[in-house]
Amino acid sequence: MKHLFSPLAIRGHTLKNLIFSTGHMTVMLKDNLPTKRMAAYHAARAKGGAGLIIIEAARAHVSGMSGRPAILAYDDACIPGYARIARDCQQHGAKVFAQLTHPGREMTTAMDGTQAVALAPSAVPNERFHVMPRAMTTQDITDIVASYSNASSRLKKAGLDGVEIVASHGVLAAQFLNPKVNLRTDTYGGSRENRMRFLCDILRAARSGAGRGMIVGVRLSIDEKDHDGLEPDEMITVATSLADQGLVDYLNVTAGTSAGLAGSTHIVPPMAFETAYTAPLAAAIKAKVDVPVFVAGRINQPQIGEQIVASGQADMCGMTRALIADPLMPNKAKAGHLDNIRACVACNQACVGHMLNGYPILCIQHPETGRELEFGTLKPATSPKNVLVVGGGPGGLKAAAIAASRGHHVTLLEAQSTLGGQVRLAQMLPGRAEFGGVTDNLAREATHAGVDIRLNIRATRSTIEQHQPDAVILAVGAKPRTAALEGEGSGHIVQAWDVLQGRANVGSNVVIADWRGDWIGLGLAERLARDGCHVRLAVNAITVGQAIPQYARDVWLGTLHKLGVGIIPYMRLFGADAVSAYFQHTLSQEAVIMDGVDTVVTALGHDPETALADELSGHIKDLHLIGDCLSPRSVEEAVLEGLQIAAQI
């Protein structure tokens, strides 16, 4: 790791290493201002060894405020919150930058929920939000440019080390750069030089407000990867020109755009994308400029970051989700403890998934993330107890690891020969093998904490009482839900779990009845289609994958379309016979008959495993249920409950 942990000097500042947390929305604001919770979140990553923290995109001008909360960088009220973050992070040796942006046409609602008046270079609508913007006047441009100077001066007063201008992901500055979006005929449109003028003016304004001592950089999507999006040849020239003009101290390279569904998946790329797939974009620019080049995009391990820097592709590696999953990752890597790093699996469930729904970002593997004020420092047990955990899925492993780390004597019993629970099934789905890392990470934490893990032991009341536990945590999961279906005796109906485990023969024409609208239906459809089956995916929801994050769902939907999978929403399974599957439309209540069906695969949700809890009720004084045996949900809730229960025993 000698390259990754080398210092980098920029404009009189020294970044202690080449790992940084990119600007990302945390949804930890109050009245559009940074909070103590937000400061604690960033400080945890600074304490964990990150060389640079970049705070999320703030609005430089009031016309950029939308229904999605953002920091009011156009108001002096932002200064104390920024100052707290800077102070809390800088004490750990990290530098702190803040982002300034204006979304332009990439905004749907105003702060009161009404449809906003969105500004853009020209009246060209976007495809994702279906927003028709208002073409900016020259006075609009002048006012917005000036706001970047004023906002930068506030960042300076707050004691930040730098300011990053966001011109990536289809925001206003990127809209000016795009000849398919910028149709102006004045000095801000037409030639590349004219289309760059708005961004160049903003950068000069930012420098004016920041002064000579602060670092000023820019973030660019070098490939927007979308219909009508900016492409690498154009953007490499733009980036080179900005550097040659001396307008930036560094270039921060990424991919994607908010303007379309395809491009937006690259904003926070899921595990469907290769790790470090954006590094070649950074390398193309680094070969042409003298300023440092940053890069981000699925860099989830320090080994990958080391390779990027050592090969000369970039000078800094954005590892945001890696730091969300393991805030201590840099310090662990520097110390050579690579095996103890909790690797991000790019599920996007609790980080960007929460953010898109307006909730603070968290992590399914590390629920302490975003809850630093509550769980940042756990108190040792005042009186060590014998704690028995039953079930070696994610929830049980987390509970065991936390209880043991607090000083309890912990034994974990798992009925199967391997750990992981339903994660073992999830990782069998196409493109989901990386999800198995959740089990590996949590099992390592439990082992490192001193948990006595015993496999192939099916717990009963008798075996539990033999351990004489002071507390028992049940994490025994759930089983597939079954339902009484018409014609079940004559139709070939099998369960999703049986298909995944190879226990069911599936015909060539398949209908998948997907009740929950999550990973299972999508993954089974892809797997069976790749096996050569004709697949129809009937989902009891408004869309397939409704229950999972958009940035993961949309990639999968594109894949299924290419594979010829038929998708039918609003379907309630009724029954099946030898040749047909019968559904009811959830809105019209009318029958929907699908003919030519060999096999119906059911994914009807899960029922909690309650038998052991019922057996122990009244016999174990300190008994706790977590995860699916309490109520079937997801890995996130199971791991969180494991933390919560183990923290209080």
Side-chain angles (χ1 to χ4, degrees):
M1 300 294 158
K2 65 178 182 179
H3 295 92
L4 194 62
F5 288 94
S6 299
L8 177 65
I10 306 178
R11 188 176 281 271
H13 297 260
T14 299
L15 307 182
K16 65 179 181 180
N17 61 48
L18 309 182
I19 296 172
F20 75 102
S21 175
T22 64
H24 58 287
M25 307 305 288
T26 62
V27 197
M28 296 178 188
L29 305 176
K30 183 178 181 181
D31 299 327
N32 294 96
L33 300 173
T35 60
K36 291 181 179 179
R37 179 179 186 175
M38 185 176 176
Y41 167 83
H42 286 301
R45 278 123 202 93
K47 184 178 180 180
L52 170 64
I53 302 294
I54 301 181
I55 304 170
E56 63 198 59
R59 301 300 184 256
H61 190 268
V62 65
S63 63
M65 287 303 297
S66 68
R68 178 168 292 176
I71 300 173
L72 309 177
Y74 56 82
D75 191 316
D76 286 348
C78 72
I79 296 174
Y82 272 129
R84 180 191 292 119
I85 296 173
R87 182 174 58 250
D88 291 354
C89 293
Q90 289 165 347
Q91 68 175 326
H92 299 295
K95 297 294 182 180
V96 182
F97 300 173
Q99 288 184 328
L100 295 177
T101 190
H102 190 298
R105 65 178 187 168
E106 300 304 306
M107 56 190 292
T108 54
T109 61
M111 295 179 69
D112 64 357
T114 60
Q115 189 167 351
V117 176
L119 300 178
S122 306
V124 177
N126 67 17
E127 187 175 73
R128 180 182 176 193
F129 299 122
H130 305 282
V131 169
M132 175 56 77
R134 173 181 174 272
M136 295 168 63
T137 65
T138 303
Q139 188 61 51
D140 289 333
I141 293 174
T142 300
D143 292 345
I144 290 173
V145 167
S147 73
Y148 278 81
S149 176
N150 296 331
S152 296
S153 69
R154 295 184 181 96
L155 303 181
K156 180 181 179 181
K157 290 178 182 177
L160 272 66
D161 302 295
V163 54
E164 180 173 275
I165 302 304
V166 181
S168 60
H169 300 128
V171 300
L172 183 59
Q175 293 159 31
F176 270 90
L177 295 173
N178 191 335
K180 297 176 182 177
V181 178
N182 182 353
L183 308 181
R184 301 178 72 94
T185 57
D186 60 6
T187 57
Y188 288 93
S191 67
R192 181 185 296 115
E193 180 182 4
N194 281 357
R195 286 182 280 110
M196 288 182 60
R197 192 180 307 279
F198 181 70
L199 177 55
C200 292
D201 287 351
I202 284 175
L203 289 167
R204 293 188 183 97
R207 171 58 66 201
S208 173
R212 305 310 301 173
M214 287 184 73
I215 296 170
V216 175
V218 64
R219 194 174 201 198
L220 299 168
S221 290
I222 304 304
D223 188 349
E224 290 191 339
K225 296 183 178 292
D226 202 275
H227 181 70
D228 287 341
L230 288 162
E231 297 181 357
D233 288 347
E234 173 77 13
M235 290 305 296
I236 290 171
T237 302
V238 168
T240 303
S241 176
L242 295 175
D244 290 346
Q245 293 181 64
L247 294 175
V248 293
D249 296 315
Y250 71 89
L251 296 160
N252 188 357
V253 170
T254 187
T257 176
S258 181
L261 292 177
S264 67
T265 61
H266 297 272
I267 298 175
V268 190
M271 66 181 75
F273 295 104
E274 293 291 329
T275 56
Y277 74 106
T278 55
L281 298 175
I285 291 173
K286 184 167 170 54
K288 296 177 177 291
V289 300
D290 292 327
V291 300
V293 175
F294 298 7
V295 68
R298 281 281 278 142
I299 307 173
N300 68 337
Q301 293 271 30
Q303 298 94 318
I304 298 173
E306 173 72 12
Q307 292 170 0
I308 290 171
V309 178
S311 63
Q313 293 179 290
D315 300 291
M316 287 282 290
C317 293
M319 304 181 69
T320 306
R321 283 176 293 171
L323 290 164
I324 289 173
D326 194 339
L328 299 176
M329 178 270 294
N331 286 343
K332 290 179 181 179
K334 186 176 182 180
H337 301 153
L338 299 178
D339 290 341
N340 289 334
I341 292 173
R342 186 186 306 105
C344 169
V345 298
C347 68
N348 283 354
Q349 183 174 329
C351 51
V352 68
H354 275 240
M355 183 275 289
L356 290 172
N357 287 323
Y359 299 107
I361 62 170
L362 306 168
C363 179
I364 67 167
Q365 299 187 80
H366 190 61
E368 294 91 335
T369 282
R371 299 182 176 94
E372 285 80 9
L373 295 177
E374 182 180 1
F375 294 111
T377 302
L378 295 177
K379 296 180 180 179
T382 55
S383 177
K385 297 179 178 180
N386 290 322
V387 178
L388 184 66
V389 178
V390 182
L397 288 168
K398 182 66 174 182
I402 294 298
S405 69
R406 294 183 56 234
H408 293 303
H409 306 291
V410 183
T411 301
L412 184 148
L413 306 182
E414 166 56 44
Q416 304 298 319
S417 59
T418 57
L419 298 167
Q422 289 185 51
V423 171
R424 292 193 302 265
L425 297 174
Q427 68 188 59
M428 294 179 182
L429 297 171
R432 297 286 292 172
E434 196 171 347
F435 197 68
V438 172
T439 300
D440 297 336
N441 293 333
L442 290 169
R444 184 172 56 250
E445 291 175 33
T447 301
H448 187 263
V451 177
D452 180 7
I453 297 177
R454 304 182 186 183
L455 303 177
N456 295 308
I457 297 179
R458 186 169 295 279
T460 63
R461 175 184 164 188
S462 175
T463 58
I464 289 173
E465 290 177 339
Q466 288 173 15
H467 283 82
Q468 298 182 327
D470 297 307
V472 176
I473 301 174
L474 294 188
V476 292
K479 55 191 175 184
R481 180 176 177 271
T482 58
L485 300 172
E486 291 293 327
E488 193 165 6
S490 58
H492 186 218
I493 303 174
V494 299
Q495 292 181 344
W497 285 25
D498 291 332
V499 175
L500 284 173
Q501 294 174 312
R503 298 197 301 249
N505 293 321
V506 177
S508 59
N509 288 285
V510 182
V511 170
I512 300 171
D514 177 9
W515 170 76
R516 181 164 167 74
D518 61 4
W519 317 93
I520 299 174
L522 286 161
L524 279 174
E526 180 180 353
R527 173 169 168 171
L528 293 173
R530 292 191 184 281
D531 286 344
C533 297
H534 175 265
V535 180
R536 283 168 281 184
L537 178 52
V539 61
N540 192 335
I542 63 174
T543 185
V544 174
Q546 179 180 325
I548 65 176
Q550 172 191 336
Y551 291 166
R553 176 186 68 232
D554 288 351
V555 176
W556 226 329
L557 285 171
T559 298
L560 294 188
H561 182 263
K562 292 177 182 178
L563 292 172
V565 173
I567 294 175
I568 310 101
Y570 305 106
M571 291 292 103
R572 179 185 296 125
L573 181 62
F574 183 79
D577 58 26
V579 294
S580 301
Y582 299 90
F583 290 84
Q584 184 183 41
H585 194 280
T586 58
L587 298 180
S588 72
Q589 305 297 312
E590 294 188 350
V592 178
I593 302 173
M594 301 182 194
D595 295 321
V597 178
D598 299 316
T599 304
V600 174
V601 180
T602 61
L604 304 179
H606 303 94
D607 288 323
E609 289 281 9
T610 60
L612 184 57
D614 293 342
E615 188 178 358
L616 296 177
S617 180
H619 299 281
I620 300 295
K621 182 178 180 181
D622 197 3
L623 177 65
H624 306 274
L625 277 66
I626 65 173
D628 282 1
C629 71
L630 178 62
S631 177
R633 288 152 296 156
S634 74
V635 169
E636 179 183 1
E637 291 77 25
V639 176
L640 172 59
E641 289 164 0
L643 167 65
Q644 291 171 328
I645 294 299
Q648 69 185 34
I649 290 178

